[in-house]
């Protein structure tokens, strides 16, 4: 390859946005991707999951709420057509990434980066990657222990090759991936069992969020077993037999392991840069080598597409001589379960809130838009400093709450007070009004409860 100022290795959200921004700043940049642009997000994560979720949500609503809302209809799942919708969504996102890279003049190299004689090289071209700076953005892969790595057991990567719906599905892990997959398959008619090692589903979310979600999932006939692990999986004539740590076992036609992800990078990279759980970097995402940066999942910190993108843009601006920053103390998280979940900043745990903080919880049942949607389950919880009333965190559960989180993310980043946010009028009837109602509650003057 020709020498460039920056070589980005990996074409996921972090690598793609990094390369585009560097090109926008007038620098010569190449991006190296061995398979598909868009990374995990486009090909095996965010995009296909939400495409499946859209179909599952539509079908589930027709079945569960149609009669109540005055719609009489019969519905059935056409899994082949559903998966065509998923693949169209993937292809559209993938092509969009390549289009933008070409638009901004990024050199695209479809090859695999390897380590050879202590240097970064192209596997097929067998040439050295010549660049003043290298940005590692090679992403992550599903984590699966050897004891559970049985032929036919799924990871999240395998779901999107689905040709028929499983009759029954055991999902190991009730984090974001496990909960979303449980929501999808149970809505489509599969008998789902969800196993979680910790004592509650989505264990890193607010304690009250976990409890309400678990109740709602049980209403949808999802069997949930917490505080339990799977010791062994054995193939049977009808699928799988999974032995649990509580001395019980579960028979299922399919098993999905969703216990997290692990960073991936070229073999031998540990001889060049420092690696612990992931690639170690400083606050500027610089490794121990002065011209090698790492962003996104390979750092094994926050494995989210939007965080990888923010890190990529930060590094791009840095390498272009521009001032850049993004808020490092918290990051927004969303879960497309039913009901949806979104959160940012401080969360309440089993131990309650840290000293000096207060909260107010406003029920979704008192929101006008939620009532028109016939989706009354859920709430908003906002946390603020007692003395200053500066907003410190929020957790939402209910319809479309993934779309209202950014208001609080901005408030936290700008250190806004409850009163400062309340200066803005929230449109009616919208789910966003629950933010206003909760903030009014923090001030002791809730209008609608």
């Amino acid at each position: 390859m020709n020498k460039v100022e920056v070589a980005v290795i990996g074409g996921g959200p972090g690598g793609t946005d990094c390369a585009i921004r560097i090109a926008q700043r007038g620098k010569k940049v190449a991006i190296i991707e061995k398979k598909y642009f868009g990374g995990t997000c486009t090909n095996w994560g965010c995009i296909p999951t939400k495409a499946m979720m859209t179909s599952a949500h539509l079908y589930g609503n027709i079945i569960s709420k149609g009669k109540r809302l005055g719609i009489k209809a019969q519905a059935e799942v056409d899994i082949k057509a559903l998966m065509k919708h998923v693949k169209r969504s993937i292809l559209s996102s993938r092509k969009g990434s390549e289009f933008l890279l070409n638009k901004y003049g990024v050199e695209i190299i479809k090859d695999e980066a390897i380590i050879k004689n202590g240097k970064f090289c192209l596997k097929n071209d067998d040439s050295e990657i010549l660049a003043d700076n290298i940005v590692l953005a090679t992403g992550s892969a599903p984590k699966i222990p050897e004891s559970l790595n049985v032929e036919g057991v799924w990871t999240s990567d395998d779901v999107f090759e689905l040709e028929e719906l499983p009759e029954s599905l055991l999902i190991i892990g009730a984090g974001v991936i496990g909960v979303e997959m449980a929501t999808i398959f149970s809505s489509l008619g599969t008998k789902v069992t969800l196993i979680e090692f910790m004592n509650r589903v989505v264990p890193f979310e607010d304690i009250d969020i976990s409890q309400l979600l678990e109740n709602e999932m049980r209403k949808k006939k999802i069997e949930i077993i917490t505080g339990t692990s799977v010791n062994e999986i054995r193939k049977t004539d009808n699928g799988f037999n999974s032995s649990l740590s509580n001395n019980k076992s579960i028979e299922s036609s399919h098993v999905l392991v969703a216990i997290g992800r692990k960073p991936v990078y070229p073999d031998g990279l540990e001889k060049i840069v420092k690696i612990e759980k992931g690639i170690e970097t400083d606050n500027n995402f610089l490794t121990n080598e002065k011209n090698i940066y790492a962003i996104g999942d390979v750092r094994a910190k926050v494995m989210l597409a939007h965080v990888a993108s923010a890190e990529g843009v930060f590094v791009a601006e840095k390498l272009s001589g521009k001032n850049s920053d993004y808020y490092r103390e918290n990051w927004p998280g969303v879960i497309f379960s039913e009901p949806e979940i979104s959160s940012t900043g401080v969360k309440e745990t089993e131990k309650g809130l840290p000293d000096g903080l207060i909260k107010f919880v406003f029920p979704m049942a008192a929101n006008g838009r939620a009532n028109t949607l016939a989706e009354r389950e859920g709430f908003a919880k906002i946390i603020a400093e007692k003395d200053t009333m500066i907003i410190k965190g929020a957790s939402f559960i209910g319809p479309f709450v993934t779309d209202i989180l950014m208001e609080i993310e901005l408030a936290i980043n700008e250190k806004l007070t409850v009163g400062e946010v309340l200066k803005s009028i929230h449109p009616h009837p919208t789910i966003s009004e629950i933010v206003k109602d909760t903030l009014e509650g923090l001030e002791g003057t809730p209008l609608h409860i």
Side-chain angles (χ1 to χ4, degrees), residues 168-181:
S168 56
L169 176 63
L170 172 65
I171 300 176
I172 304 172
V176 176
I177 297 172
V179 161
E180 289 188 348
M181 289 297 176

Side-chain angles (χ1 to χ4, degrees), residues 43-260:
N43 298 287
W44 306 282
C46 317
I47 299 303
T49 304
K50 278 61 191 179
M52 283 190 78
M53 185 70 75
T54 300
S55 297
H57 184 70
L58 176 60
Y59 177 74
N61 275 347
I62 292 172
I63 298 300
S64 65
K65 293 198 303 185
K67 186 176 181 181
R68 177 182 172 183
L69 297 178
I71 304 298
K72 293 183 178 180
Q74 291 183 331
E76 62 180 275
V77 177
D78 182 340
I79 193 63
K80 290 184 178 179
L82 191 158
M83 295 313 294
K84 281 184 180 179
H85 163 60
V86 171
K87 293 185 187 302
R88 280 194 301 268
S89 299
I90 292 171
L91 191 60
S92 175
S93 182
R94 190 188 294 165
K95 285 185 173 181
S97 295
E98 289 197 51
F99 170 80
L100 290 169
L101 289 164
N102 280 309
K103 175 183 176 180
Y104 289 104
V106 177
E107 181 184 356
I108 295 175
I109 300 173
K110 294 192 174 181
D111 205 334
E112 181 177 357
I114 62 172
I115 306 297
K116 188 174 181 181
N117 299 322
K119 296 180 179 179
F120 289 95
C121 297
L122 297 175
K123 184 176 182 179
N124 297 328
D125 186 72
D126 199 30
S127 65
E128 185 181 348
I129 296 173
L130 301 173
D132 296 330
N133 293 281
I134 288 176
V135 181
L136 296 165
T138 45
S140 62
K143 186 190 300 181
I144 182 165
E146 192 61 37
S147 60
L148 305 183
N149 194 9
V150 176
E151 182 184 358
V153 168
W154 287 347
T155 68
S156 54
D157 284 3
D158 302 309
V159 171
F160 307 111
E161 300 302 321
L162 196 66
E163 294 183 350
E164 60 181 10
L165 278 172
E167 179 182 337
S168 56
L169 176 63
L170 172 65
I171 300 176
I172 304 172
V176 176
I177 297 172
V179 161
E180 289 188 348
M181 289 297 176
T183 300
I184 290 168
F185 282 102
S186 64
S187 296
L188 294 173
T190 296
K191 181 180 182 295
V192 175
T193 302
L194 188 59
I195 301 285
E196 170 56 43
F197 174 72
M198 298 182 75
N199 62 1
R200 57 186 174 103
V201 300
V202 288
F204 302 110
E205 293 294 331
D206 183 278
I207 178 66
D208 294 327
I209 294 283
S210 292
Q211 291 173 350
L212 192 148
L213 178 63
E214 186 169 326
N215 290 339
E216 289 303 300
M217 294 181 81
R218 291 187 190 279
K219 288 180 186 178
K220 293 178 173 62
K221 309 302 182 185
I222 297 172
E223 182 182 2
I224 299 173
I225 305 171
T226 56
T228 306
S229 58
V230 176
N231 293 336
E232 183 185 16
I233 300 174
R234 292 184 294 106
K235 292 194 74 171
T236 66
D237 292 340
N238 298 316
F240 299 91
N241 178 280
S242 302
S243 302
L244 310 184
S245 60
N246 61 6
N247 296 320
K248 296 182 179 180
S249 63
I250 293 176
E251 300 279 346
S252 61
S253 64
H254 292 74
V255 175
L256 167 63
V257 177
I259 61 172

Side-chain angles (χ1 to χ4, degrees), residues 278-281 296-304 307 311 331:
I279 299 175
E280 294 285 304
T281 69
D297 289 9
V298 292
R299 298 175 62 240
K301 302 292 185 184
V302 182
M303 291 187 173
L304 292 172
V307 173
E311 292 175 356
W331 37 266

